Amino acid sequence: MTEQPSRRLLLVHAHPDDESINNGATMARYAAEGAQVTLVTCTLGERGEVIPPGLAHLTGAALGQHRLGELTAAMSALGVDDVRLLGGPGRFADSGMTGLADNDDPACFWQADVDQAAALLLEVIREVRPQVLVTYDPDGGYGHPDHIQTHRVATRAAELAAEAGLGIAKTYWNRVPRPVAEAAFARLADDLPGLPFTAAAGVDDVPGVVEDARITTEIVADGTPYAAAKAAAMRAHATQIDVAEPYFALSNALAQPLFTTEYYELVGAAPAGARERDLFAGIEQAR
């Protein structure tokens, strides 16, 4: 029987590309350090808006399959080899943006029974036995139905795991400190004339922005190979992301910063003293 790595990290995301934008540097770091990094993606993002004109013909299932290929390439850039679709590819459809008729599709993730979806995630937890879980806050970072549902499913799966004696030691929400975001957007305003984007997004367009005091943990990757790996992973999601380091834009063509230091809020813990620099801090790394 193959022995599990002593550190095991599970990330649960809504669509292909979310993982690279939010956690690409973190994933690259822990994969390089020999930790088990497992990504579970809940949908294929079939309703995403496509950026390159040459791929604009991709819609629905065809777009989902293309984005699965992008996800595979992105994970190769990050050195991550354990990537799973919740319940298998296509089990849950992309729900579309808030307020659209797509939200009412019985096959979409937003309409999924939380306990049933969480039971599927629990199967992964039983196999991987993660000590650390990373996902979104209750608002999904910015209110997208699939992100909110991902939070609900991941949280419920963690509860079920605890009931089964498979408790996850630490759960983190993706965050960006407001002062960091404000400083980055100030630099963007100065740099915008030299970028291939004509306008910039704003701080409130960035998911998970909170006051500095909420941040418990930061994974610093500035100037490291992990930062380069994150940018490469984001480029792999070419239907969704246009990268011009140190900035990028989504389908709205509004530039925003590419954060290579990634920030987190440890659920249930008040910040105390210096921020953690390791998601596994304080965990006994038993196999």
Side-chain angles (χ1 to χ4, degrees), residues 2 6 14 46-47 51 61 67 79 120 144 152 162 168 188 205 209-210 218 223-224 226 241 264:
T2 303
S6 61
E46 304 93 331
R47 293 190 167 104
I51 295 174
R67 292 189 69 178
L120 296 172
H144 190 294
R152 293 172 178 171
I168 298 171
L188 170 58
D205 295 315
V209 173
V210 294
E218 61 183 54
T224 71
Y226 312 134
I241 307 174
Y264 300 90

Side-chain angles (χ1 to χ4, degrees), residues 141-142 178 181-182 185 201-211 256:
Y142 70 112
R178 184 168 294 277
E182 289 173 346
F185 274 97
V203 170
D204 291 335
D205 295 315
V206 176
V209 173
V210 294
E211 296 309 315
Q256 58 181 293

Side-chain angles (χ1 to χ4, degrees), residues 46 48-50 54-64 66-67 70 239:
E46 304 93 331
E49 298 178 351
V50 176
L55 297 176
H57 63 282
L58 293 172
T59 60
L63 176 57
H66 187 90
R67 292 189 69 178
E70 292 181 337
T239 61

Side-chain angles (χ1 to χ4, degrees), residues 73-95:
M75 293 306 95
S76 178
L78 298 179
V80 173
D81 56 14
D82 189 10
V83 183
R84 311 177 189 215
L85 275 295
L86 186 64
R91 175 65 179 269
F92 300 108
D94 185 344
S95 306

Side-chain angles (χ1 to χ4, degrees), residues 199-242:
V203 170
D204 291 335
D205 295 315
V206 176
V209 173
V210 294
E211 296 309 315
D212 202 62
R214 296 278 297 274
I215 307 301
T216 62
T217 311
E218 61 183 54
I219 302 300
V220 180
D222 298 347
T224 71
Y226 312 134
K230 173 173 182 167
M234 289 175 62
R235 282 194 181 93
H237 290 289
T239 61
Q240 307 299 304
I241 307 174
D242 187 3

